[in-house]
Amino acid sequence: MSTQDRAAAPAVSLSWEDGAIVTLDQRALPQEHRPLRMTGVDQVIDAIASLAVRGAPAIGLAGALGVALSAYAHTSGGTLDEAAVRADAARLAAARPTAVNLAWAVGRVLERLAEGADAVLAEGLHMLAEDVAVNTAMVRGAADLVESLTPDRPLRLLTHCNTGRLATAAVGTALGTIVELARRGRVADVLVDETRPLLQGSRLTAWELGEAGVPYRVCVDSAAAAAMSQGLVDCVLVGADRITANGDTANKIGTYGLAVAAARHGIPFVVVAPESTWDEELPDGSRIVVEERSPLEVVEFAGVPTAPAGAAVFNPAFDVTPAELISAVVTERRVFDGGRAPVRRPSGTAAERMAGLLEEFPDHPAPGVVFRDLSRVYAEPGLLADLAAEVAGDLGGSFDRVLAVESRGFLLGAALAAHTGLPLTLVRKPGKLPGRVHSAAYALEYGEDRLEMRTDALAPGDRVLCVDDVLATGGTLGAAARLAEECGAKVAGLVVLVELTGLGGRASLARYPLAALCEVPA
């Protein structure tokens, strides 16, 4: 079954059946699919506190239905004991203090309490259906936003904790967005943080992605920043348990560190959460209560001690990410821009995008020389392919073979050959090629060198496009063109990524058509 087929009918993760709240016990996943049936308020509180039911929207819905359980339990002879139900509701709302959805959902169904237990249940069931619709709208909007912020190619995404259908009534928030992007054919790979506490990423998110047919890899939380530094992440997507009036967000411990790393590497950091997660009464994240969990989660593994006896432990379940580190918060109704400017997809042509990525290094490799480095151009995902497409669009049909000059000319040359489906010939430095070679000397901006090409590399009449990275004095490309002509080929044109104007390169190559994608002063 395809990802599209799987996404057609959202699977509901929490329901009301014959007077009970029914869901999966998330503590048992992925090894065991253990149904969890809750018929009393104490069971609901225990399930929420022990993370058998977890995820901000899901615990809110469980809390709301828990109030319905209490309402039925405290109705006798047609009389409802409202005080007893409100006492149960207060205990439910306090089961997880950080997630605002729980108190919000409990408060919402309590508004129907005077109408009786059936009205409380009806409101809870309405909230279940509403959650499915809210999440569906939210993930579509979030997916649209991610597409506007990232390159036009399959994406490498990173997510933290579990924000899929298990954490909601259905569909999910951040993980639901990832599944939606996969349905659109936009996901190459998902890095799944294992996520402390209780490894909810490696246990639950990985399981959901596998069920949806989305490719993923689990990584330890501390590897995420390294993955960003290596260009393995195009966008970070997370959920939230509480969002304050200024846009600060509380989410699973480790989220703040991800936001810092994403900002350092210029990667969009997007929070996806419903409007019910906003707590407008809190001005900022400093007021959020962050619960701490059992020390045993840190000093033991599967019941075996891993730390010295008596070791003190700091084990917060959540942290707070300042709005200034967030690119955007997406809800079902709006996109809230965080304090950090979103990283928009580069606009303009590929050549214009390349111009902003060039770096200058004075006195390299010799005093007085300013070296223009294209490393960031090559590292920019998809840009080299876009540059090749621009060259092919401008010059396509005028050549039937690509000739690339060692060594960085090989990069554009290979991309251009791959794009056009034409053969590629390599011009090398002395001593690199076997067999008989043609040789041509040339003067560099800061010395002398030679180029060689095998005598049988080209056939008479071949129309050759000579490709290099930078044009300075024109010696390198001129030598490559002479080698092509020695084989009887015709030089259809010369192409460089960058032309250093003022060094006479274009004038020295005036007999050939020359295209430079970017011009900068020498």
Side-chain angles (χ1 to χ4, degrees), residues 176-270:
T177 303
I178 291 173
V179 174
E180 170 66 14
L181 287 166
R183 187 189 67 79
R184 300 180 186 186
R186 295 300 311 278
V187 176
D189 181 48
V190 182
L191 281 177
V192 178
D193 280 354
E194 61 179 0
T195 316
R196 291 288 190 125
L198 302 183
L199 307 180
Q200 293 168 23
S202 59
R203 292 192 305 105
L204 306 177
T205 299
W207 179 75
E208 287 202 49
L209 288 173
E211 289 282 297
V214 180
Y216 70 88
R217 291 180 289 167
V218 175
C219 69
V220 298
D221 295 0
S222 53
M228 295 183 205
S229 72
Q230 296 171 30
L232 300 179
V233 180
D234 297 310
C235 184
V236 179
L237 284 155
V238 299
D241 290 84
R242 189 183 294 252
I243 307 173
T244 59
N246 73 332
D248 293 350
T249 65
N251 194 51
K252 194 62 63 186
I253 187 70
T255 305
Y256 173 46
L258 290 179
V260 171
R264 167 65 178 82
H265 296 289
I267 296 169
F269 185 91
V270 177

Side-chain angles (χ1 to χ4, degrees), residues 11-15 22-24 58 164-170:
V12 177
S13 60
L14 189 142
S15 61
V22 179
T23 186
L24 278 178
R165 64 181 180 86
L166 291 172
T168 62

Side-chain angles (χ1 to χ4, degrees), residues 32-54:
E32 181 184 354
H33 294 193
R34 181 195 302 160
L36 179 62
R37 184 180 177 87
M38 296 168 282
T39 57
V41 170
D42 288 341
Q43 289 177 303
V44 178
I45 292 173
D46 178 69
I48 292 173
S50 66
L51 303 186
V53 176
R54 48 144 302 282

Side-chain angles (χ1 to χ4, degrees), residues 341-396:
V343 182
R344 300 287 176 184
R345 181 191 302 166
S347 60
T349 67
E352 290 169 341
R353 289 154 52 195
M354 177 183 66
L357 294 170
L358 294 176
E359 292 182 286
E360 294 185 356
F361 292 88
D363 300 321
H364 179 83
V369 176
V370 178
F371 186 82
R372 266 73 176 190
D373 187 50
L374 281 78
S375 296
R376 292 173 59 198
V377 174
Y378 301 135
E380 181 71 10
L383 180 54
L384 191 60
D386 291 344
L387 291 167
E390 284 195 14
V391 172
D394 292 340
L395 303 176

Side-chain angles (χ1 to χ4, degrees), residues 97-98 241-251 256 278-291 318-324 326:
T98 301
D241 290 84
R242 189 183 294 252
I243 307 173
T244 59
N246 73 332
D248 293 350
T249 65
N251 194 51
Y256 173 46
W278 287 80
D279 185 353
E280 300 287 354
E281 295 183 1
L282 289 185
D284 58 62
S286 66
R287 310 277 185 91
I288 296 176
V289 176
V290 174
E291 60 192 86
F318 303 91
D319 58 24
V320 177
T321 300
E324 65 193 50
I326 298 171

Side-chain angles (χ1 to χ4, degrees), residues 115-169:
E115 302 172 57
D118 288 345
V120 173
L121 175 60
E123 186 67 19
L125 294 178
H126 176 72
M127 291 168 66
L128 281 175
E130 183 182 86
D131 191 67
V132 177
V134 161
N135 293 341
T136 300
M138 181 168 48
V139 302
R140 288 174 180 165
D144 290 343
L145 176 69
V146 171
E147 288 190 301
S148 76
L149 298 178
T150 53
D152 292 318
R153 56 165 174 73
L155 303 172
R156 289 84 48 86
L157 305 173
L158 186 144
T159 192
H160 192 69
C161 197
N162 175 259
T163 54
R165 64 181 180 86
L166 291 172
T168 62

